Amino acid sequence: MNKAPKVGIVGAGVVGLTTALLIQDEIKGAQVSILADKFENETTSFVAAGVFRPGTSFSGPDDGTTKQWVSQSWDHWNDLVMSSDAPLAGLTYLSGYIFSKRNPSVVRNHLIEDVVPIYRSATEEELKICGDGWKYGSFFTTLLVESRLYLPWAKKKFLSKDGIVRFKQIQSFSDLKNDYDVIINCTGLNSRELCSDNKLVPIRGQIIKVEAPWVKMAFYGDYDAYILPGFEGVTLGGTRQYDSFNLDVCKYDAAGIMDRCSELLPALRKARVIRHAVGLRPHRSPVRVEGEIMEFGSDTTKVVHCYGHGGYGVTCAPGTGKHAVKIVKQFLMTNQSKL
Ligand SMILES: Cc1cc2nc3c(=O)[nH]c(=O)nc-3n(C[C@H](O)[C@H](O)[C@H](O)COP(=O)(O)OP(=O)(O)OC[C@H]3O[C@@H](n4cnc5c(N)ncnc54)[C@H](O)[C@@H]3O)c2cc1C
């Protein structure tokens, strides 16, 4: 290609912004635009606690690809956490425990045990840290990406490299058919409508942000209980309600979250609540990272999909983004219909 390729990314959540920065790095001279109808605190990404910890069901099209997404993502975040930008981008290392009273498999994670620097069984003494009855446990070190800081940092970095950011709501990819050589679809849960994709399902998550500066470690317990200290406060979670589109805060969920988290750390009962929040995780198995040539009458548009990260979009945005960039490069060089 002689002229600068034009790449349009739809979506300004963690997946869209991270993929946009990777395009700028890997396709020199490309003219890159981000188009979105929601930014920063309006996105699902903003609700995430941002811990690097894929669930064991997180899945790409095959085991090899899943592992590659996870390990490339770790490398990417690990480079950033070691850079001078880390505090501005909201990155920090985080260590903690995962405990269960019932199920030994809950405390294992085959996707990250060989990736993060520490992942080991908890000792008998450590199993008593959060009170009696915990039978199984692991200690691990991972990292945390605070979206409240990362999203504006990534947008600023993108703009500083001549990226273009536009507020735009699209009804269909045909709206953009004449504007870009390739479009990357990072629209999260909205791909359900944009791509008529019923495999994409919301998993509703509710959290409480509390002021508890004495909490310096992560704790996970049974029934989706988690305590994750970040830059702003401590995130207490959570819920995982399949196929629920309800974005309202539920007081019964909030009470359940506080009960389960204060069973782990009783002092949390007295912590000041900063806010309650709800988000819909865009769950799809497998996550869709795939090229498609869309036909609109006599026109065609090359689209690279990158959506469906469920509860692990912060964790795996860099790995899936790299995969999407690879397909974009192939699209720019060839006319293949399915990659
Ligand atoms: C309670 C909770 C806790 C979580 N904790 C973690 C965690 O600790 N670690 C982790 O890895 N993940 C976590 N997640 C999951 C994570 O938040 C998601 O996987 C991630 O935010 C998905 O990012 P995204 O960029 O795909 O989507 P989004 O953040 O939803 O962004 C979608 C973007 O697409 C744009 N868009 C959509 N449709 C259109 C349209 N028609 N026209 C124009 N623009 C459009 C939107 O405006 C938006 O900018 C959590 C989620 C929840 C709800």
Side-chain angles (χ1 to χ4, degrees):
M1 273 214 147
N2 292 328
K3 69 180 175 64
K6 284 177 143 185
V7 181
I9 294 152
V10 189
V14 67
V15 174
L17 282 164
T18 305
T19 306
L21 291 176
L22 290 169
I23 289 275
Q24 285 181 322
D25 276 356
E26 294 194 25
I27 307 183
K28 297 290 174 214
Q31 200 184 99
V32 193
S33 303
I34 294 176
L35 320 157
D37 62 353
K38 288 186 180 144
F39 292 87
E40 294 174 21
N41 62 344
E42 300 168 322
T43 64
T44 305
S45 301
F46 193 83
V47 180
V51 71
F52 183 95
R53 184 175 169 269
T56 49
S57 64
F58 177 77
S59 170
D62 54 68
D63 288 352
T65 306
T66 311
K67 282 197 155 195
Q68 189 173 40
W69 287 350
V70 172
S71 69
Q72 288 185 337
S73 296
W74 173 266
D75 291 345
H76 177 95
W77 292 130
N78 199 38
D79 284 349
L80 192 50
V81 80
M82 294 304 287
S83 77
S84 56
D85 269 347
L88 302 172
L91 271 89
T92 182
Y93 285 114
L94 180 66
S95 294
Y97 291 98
I98 177 162
F99 294 130
S100 176
K101 293 187 175 175
R102 294 173 180 79
N103 190 345
S105 72
V106 168
V107 305
R108 301 295 305 267
N109 191 317
H110 70 286
L111 288 174
I112 58 167
E113 286 181 15
D114 296 335
V115 172
V116 298
I118 305 174
Y119 204 111
R120 61 165 175 79
S121 297
T123 64
E124 288 300 319
E125 285 70 33
E126 287 171 322
L127 287 175
K128 293 177 194 142
I129 287 175
C130 289
D132 294 335
W134 299 103
K135 283 172 74 176
Y136 311 103
S138 297
F139 174 85
F140 59 96
T141 296
T142 184
L143 47 77
L144 180 131
V145 183
E146 175 104 27
S147 297
R148 191 178 63 98
L149 297 175
Y150 176 73
L151 299 175
W153 173 86
K155 191 169 97 180
K156 199 170 160 194
K157 187 165 180 200
F158 175 75
L159 288 168
S160 76
K161 293 174 156 189
D162 298 328
I164 300 160
V165 176
R166 279 173 60 201
F167 175 87
K168 184 170 174 75
Q169 184 174 60
I170 64 158
Q171 307 304 324
S172 152
F173 291 103
S174 72
D175 296 356
L176 307 173
K177 64 180 186 238
N178 298 319
D179 300 344
Y180 301 101
D181 296 302
V182 182
I183 296 164
I184 312 183
N185 170 22
C186 303
T187 57
L189 192 59
N190 264 14
S191 288
R192 210 176 136 90
E193 276 75 42
L194 287 168
C195 303
S196 304
D197 185 347
N198 290 322
K199 280 190 187 157
L200 187 59
V201 182
I203 299 186
R204 179 181 177 278
Q206 183 166 324
I207 53 119
I208 314 174
K209 280 267 184 200
V210 297
E211 199 177 278
W214 65 87
V215 179
K216 306 288 187 201
M217 294 181 72
F219 294 93
Y220 287 83
D222 288 318
Y223 301 117
D224 288 324
Y226 56 83
I227 300 166
L228 297 167
F231 285 67
E232 181 194 15
V234 179
T235 305
L236 309 184
T239 63
R240 252 173 242 273
Q241 291 146 354
Y242 189 80
D243 215 359
S244 168
F245 286 86
N246 179 12
L247 275 167
D248 294 335
V249 171
C250 166
K251 65 179 181 181
Y252 303 106
D253 284 340
I257 290 166
M258 187 51 91
D259 269 357
R260 290 189 291 274
C261 290
S262 47
E263 191 196 338
L264 285 159
L265 291 185
L268 287 171
R269 282 243 175 251
K270 297 209 167 135
R272 186 181 75 81
V273 172
I274 300 169
R275 68 170 177 276
H276 297 267
V278 176
L280 305 179
R281 302 173 179 96
H283 170 76
R284 189 181 190 277
S285 193
V287 178
R288 188 174 186 202
V289 183
E290 197 175 62
E292 182 183 8
I293 299 208
M294 292 186 156
E295 290 182 9
F296 304 107
S298 57
D299 294 312
T300 57
T301 300
K302 293 169 181 166
V303 179
V304 179
H305 302 287
C306 189
Y307 65 82
H309 298 66
Y312 316 110
V314 180
T315 302
C316 286
T320 54
K322 274 180 181 289
H323 190 161
V325 172
K326 195 170 150 195
I327 302 172
V328 170
K329 284 180 179 167
Q330 289 168 346
F331 261 154
L332 291 173
M333 286 189 300
T334 68
N335 277 324
Q336 283 172 259
S337 62
K338 178 103 178 165
L339 298 166

